[in-house]
């Protein structure tokens, strides 16, 4: 069956530009998560959605980062005025929610800010 | 403060041996602990979940133990193969935070033929 998909797979942008990253979760998964992973580092939690509400935005590193989710479907992570330190892999995961804890990850979007 | 620690140094072992990876945590009272595998350029893949009332869980060549007194989980791969080479991440449920997980930094395993 279809897993979590993310687009684009790679994005190169210039410092100061805005970028939008997209995540399509597994159908029926109510919970959706965004993480950031810098080269050689662990996963850094960014934001969590249950349905289309975001009970926890505590991981967003600055107000340049925002995310939204449409229903229990697609989510977009937007980074405004990108900086070089934003360069990383952005991973999306989904889970069934309702006490089902396993997270299924997408392949990630590799963002390079020049 | 809450911390999840995994050995940041790579673990190098010979094919056929048992690999043992460690996950230690402080200031958590997790209801469960998970292990994930991550290959270069890919997202993590779920391997095993163990609950706080379970001491041990097995799946094929994988075995996980969970000691809530020591605040430690051990992840074993028996009869290791070069294809087992990857980074292995442990993850705990974040307290009072629904379905969220907090991940350790991962340990890279290299199995040499």
């Amino acid at each position: 069956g279809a897993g979590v998909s993310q687009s684009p797979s790679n994005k190169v942008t210039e410092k100061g530009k805005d970028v939008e990253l997209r995540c399509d979760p597994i159908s029926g998964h109510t919970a959706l998560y965004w993480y950031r992973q810098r080269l050689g580092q662990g996963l850094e939690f960014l934001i969590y959605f249950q349905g289309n509400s975001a009970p926890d935005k505590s991981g967003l590193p600055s107000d340049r980062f925002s995310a939204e989710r449409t229903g229990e479907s697609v989510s977009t992570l937007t980074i405004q005025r990108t900086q070089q330190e934003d360069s990383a892999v952005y991973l999306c995961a989904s889970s069934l929610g309702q006490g089902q804890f396993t997270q299924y990850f997408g392949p990630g979007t590799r963002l390079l800010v020049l | 403060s809450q911390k999840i620690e995994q050995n940041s140094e790579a673990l190098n072992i010979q094919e056929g041996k048992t690999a043992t990876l460690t996950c230690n945590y402080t200031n958590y009272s997790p209801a469960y602990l998970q292990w994930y595998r991550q290959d270069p350029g890919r997202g993590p893949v779920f391997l095993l979940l163990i609950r706080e009332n379970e001491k041990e869980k097995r799946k094929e060549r994988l075995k996980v133990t969970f000691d809530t007194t020591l605040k430690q989980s051990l992840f074993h791969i028996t009869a290791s193969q070069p294809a087992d080479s990857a980074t292995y991440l442990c993850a705990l449920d974040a307290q009072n935070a629904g379905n969220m997980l907090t991940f350790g930094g991962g340990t890279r395993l290299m199995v040499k033929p």
Side-chain angles (χ1 to χ4, degrees):
Chain A
V4 177
S5 61
Q6 292 186 247
S7 61
S9 53
N10 292 281
K11 176 73 178 178
V12 181
T13 191
E14 291 179 350
K15 178 181 168 181
K17 301 279 190 189
D18 297 352
V19 295
E20 255 189 24
L21 313 180
R22 177 186 167 112
C23 173
D24 282 90
I26 293 172
S27 177
H29 280 197
T30 63
L32 186 147
Y33 314 81
W34 283 98
Y35 297 89
R36 179 169 70 179
Q37 188 171 35
R38 292 198 167 104
L39 190 63
Q41 304 293 309
L43 297 176
E44 178 187 0
F45 167 77
L46 297 179
I47 190 169
Y48 154 57
F49 287 92
Q50 180 59 51
N52 62 2
S53 66
D56 193 328
K57 302 180 182 179
S58 62
L60 294 176
S62 76
D63 59 8
R64 295 187 297 105
F65 287 71
S66 62
E68 61 179 31
R69 187 179 185 194
T70 308
E72 291 186 351
S73 183
V74 172
S75 174
T76 54
L77 176 70
T78 302
I79 310 173
Q80 295 178 306
R81 305 181 302 282
T82 51
Q83 304 292 312
Q84 288 180 331
E85 71 244 27
D86 299 333
S87 297
V89 176
Y90 289 82
L91 289 160
C92 172
S94 69
S95 72
L96 276 169
Q98 289 101 37
Q100 299 301 313
F101 310 115
T102 300
Q103 294 187 13
Y104 297 85
F105 283 82
T109 293
R110 282 146 199 80
L111 174 66
L112 178 61
V113 182
L114 300 176
Chain B
S1 62
Q2 294 179 322
K3 224 189 285 187
I4 303 173
E5 291 181 330
Q6 294 185 257
N7 195 340
S8 58
E9 288 183 18
L11 176 64
N12 293 292
I13 65 166
Q14 206 65 36
E15 181 177 9
K17 301 290 186 186
T18 296
T20 298
L21 286 71
T22 305
C23 175
N24 294 300
Y25 59 92
T26 52
N27 295 322
Y28 278 96
S29 296
Y32 59 89
L33 185 147
Q34 300 186 25
W35 283 89
Y36 288 75
R37 168 183 173 141
Q38 187 173 25
D39 290 282
R42 295 179 176 252
V45 174
F46 170 76
L47 295 175
L48 279 168
L49 179 152
I50 186 165
R51 297 184 185 278
E52 60 177 335
N53 59 351
E54 297 175 314
K55 296 286 187 208
E56 183 179 296
K57 202 87 169 272
R58 291 175 186 259
K59 179 182 174 184
E60 296 172 352
R61 295 184 296 110
L62 308 181
K63 183 178 89 171
V64 171
T65 63
F66 193 11
D67 189 324
T68 54
T69 302
L70 287 179
K71 296 188 182 295
Q72 181 182 78
S73 174
L74 298 178
F75 177 80
H76 306 272
I77 306 175
T78 57
S80 60
Q81 305 165 0
D84 296 327
S85 299
T87 295
Y88 291 87
L89 307 165
C90 70
L92 306 180
D93 59 305
Q95 289 174 299
N96 304 316
N99 298 299
M100 284 175 52
L101 294 176
T102 303
F103 284 83
T107 298
R108 195 158 67 97
L109 172 67
M110 301 283 291
V111 181
K112 298 184 177 177

